[in-house]
DNA sequence: AGGAGTTTGTGAACGCGAGAACAAAATCAC
DNA sequence: GTGATTTTGTTCTCGCGTTCACAAACTCCT
């Protein structure tokens, strides 16, 4: 692979690599906060919890940002990853369904610090309208279209019950949203041009329980 | 592959398959609630949002629970998957860090309905002690050891800030917990006999932002 | 300047998972 | 009963991701 210039962003980055870049970004931020200016792939891999060869290969998809015999400049590499990920710009986000989870998400400072700005909190329940959460007022769900247009929102978060999720997704797509983060335990049907990411909290617990179960049955065997 | 009897649980199930079993379980529950008694692999695959060949291969790791030319008995298959996953028994769980996210998790009914019972809510902040969330009182973090022993807790959930997460994990392991679900954005260092599952909500958003970014730069190219 | 020591970037081997395709097994029609 | 039809369980192939291993490239010391 030849060297890449900073404006050469055309190459495909494997999905598995993309999923790890945020982890590297966080590890670099931590290193930077502790005053580290240079780090080796070994150091960074340990901080990110991955194999160092994998880390180097991942970074090689972005370009050649290290120095052999030395390592990586922490802040420089961090900027390069952030730029590639789109983390150097601000992403307006709407959250739909301001119940238990929606409140937690709205209050989460980690989104803001990573470039996501909650521009609206929407709920179908009139009882919730007018409530202010983390400085943002809860508004009716029907305001979705106007908000998306006004702020150029591309990313929507669904935190409604499963029964409403498909309907909410349809309206989001209709309003112009092209990426959805879904917390409801349902499979969403959307067009191929819409990206859906699903977070299933109880699935994670169920997988852990499976391994516990296996450990137990193997011991008694 | 030969037929398997119901007590033959020794075979290794691929991790990718284990991760999908909860999805199948949920799809089967939905089908059952609508009154469906028999379904084909095609039906179930559509409900779960996967390829039907993949579904059949996944199920074949558990045993041969379908009937050729007919399909699967919904309730029977659901029971078999639940048994394999350990979902037929009750799993006591402790949640540590009852802030924004901890409150949402404590209030989440989906855990209970899938066999997880929150036996304790723990927080280091004395201000929070005594508060009742979803019928469970918030107690001091130092009670962890006693609670784990008393209830035989194997699974712990970490919802504290990142700075405290490693310490909480160490104490959990010391108290006898062997599976941890971590919501803090940190890599946890634990022994090889402890399973850690990490849920990183902002990572998911960052991956979506990356794809949005790519779409945008490709259009302008 | 040159050699010793480090660390990156990448070619190559390997293993796992996804999906196509098909044989085996069950039902149904008559 | 027998053939047509349906649907499962499994084999086979392909591609992706992980990891090893090493040459290339850089620094540091003398
Ligand atoms: N609370 C958790 O920790 C947790 C964990 C895992 C998954 N989830 C999932 O996240 C989702 C939300 O959970 P929750 O505990 O916050 O539920 P909740 O009932 O507390 O909140 C849901 C909110 O969505 C609103 N809503 C319902 N239909 C709507 C619609 N069509 N348009 C707009 N808003 C609508 C409701 O008014 C309510 O405010 C659920 O699907 C749940 O399964 C929650
Ligand atoms: N809120 C969200 O939606 C969200 C989203 C993604 C990730 N997270 C992550 O989840 C974690 C919790 O987020 P939050 O918004 O609930 O934070 P929070 O500050 O509201 O709550 C943290 C709680 O942990 C308690 N705590 C701190 N140190 C502790 C210790 N050593 N032992 C026991 N308890 C301790 C605090 O007293 C507090 O009650 C954070 O790591 C955050 O990054 C939260």
């Amino acid at each position: 692979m030849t060297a890449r210039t900073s404006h050469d962003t055309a190459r495909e980055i494997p999905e598995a690599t993309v999923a790890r870049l945020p982890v590297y970004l966080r590890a670099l931020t931590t290193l930077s906060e502790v005053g580290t200016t240079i780090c080796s792939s070994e150091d960074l891999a340990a901080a990110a919890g991955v194999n160092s060869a994998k880390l180097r290969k991942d970074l090689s998809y972005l370009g050649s940002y290290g120095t052999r015999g030395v390592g990586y400049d922490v802040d420089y590499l961090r900027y390069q990853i952030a730029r590639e990920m789109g983390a150097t710009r601000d992403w307006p986000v709407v959250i739909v369904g301001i119940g238990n989870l929606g409140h937690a998400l709205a209050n989460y400072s980690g989104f803001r610090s990573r470039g996501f700005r909650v521009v609206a909190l929407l709920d179908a329940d009139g009882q919730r309208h007018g409530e202010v959460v983390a400085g943002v007022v809860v508004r009716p769900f029907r305001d979705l279209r106007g908000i998306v247009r006004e702020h150029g929102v591309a990313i929507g978060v669904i935190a409604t019950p499963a029964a409403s999720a498909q309907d909410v997704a349809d309206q989001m797509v209709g309003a112009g949203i092209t990426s959805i983060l879904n917390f409801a335990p349902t499979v969403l049907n959307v067009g191929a041009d819409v990206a859906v990411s699903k977070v299933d909290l109880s699935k994670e617990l169920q997988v852990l329980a499976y391994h516990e179960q296996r450990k137990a049955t193997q011991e008694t065997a």
Side-chain angles (χ1 to χ4, degrees), chain A residues 101 104-108 111:
Chain A
L101 188 58
L105 295 174
N107 276 312
Y108 184 42
F111 292 152

Side-chain angles (χ1 to χ4, degrees), chain A residues 24-39:
Chain A
Y24 302 154
L25 216 41
R26 194 163 295 162
L28 286 166
T29 303
T30 306
L31 287 174
S32 183
E33 282 169 359
V34 197
T36 311
T37 58
I38 300 274
C39 72

Side-chain angles (χ1 to χ4, degrees), chain A residues 96-102 122-125 128 141 159-162 164 167-168 183-185 201:
Chain A
V96 177
I98 314 302
N100 289 306
L101 188 58
L122 304 179
D123 203 295
D125 184 357
R128 298 207 183 269
F141 179 53
T160 67
S164 319
D167 179 50
V168 171
F183 287 94
L201 305 186

Side-chain angles (χ1 to χ4, degrees), chain A residues 119-138:
Chain A
V119 296
L121 303 174
L122 304 179
D123 203 295
D125 184 357
Q127 299 283 333
R128 298 207 183 269
H129 300 160
E131 184 190 349
V132 175
V133 184
V136 181
V137 64
V138 178

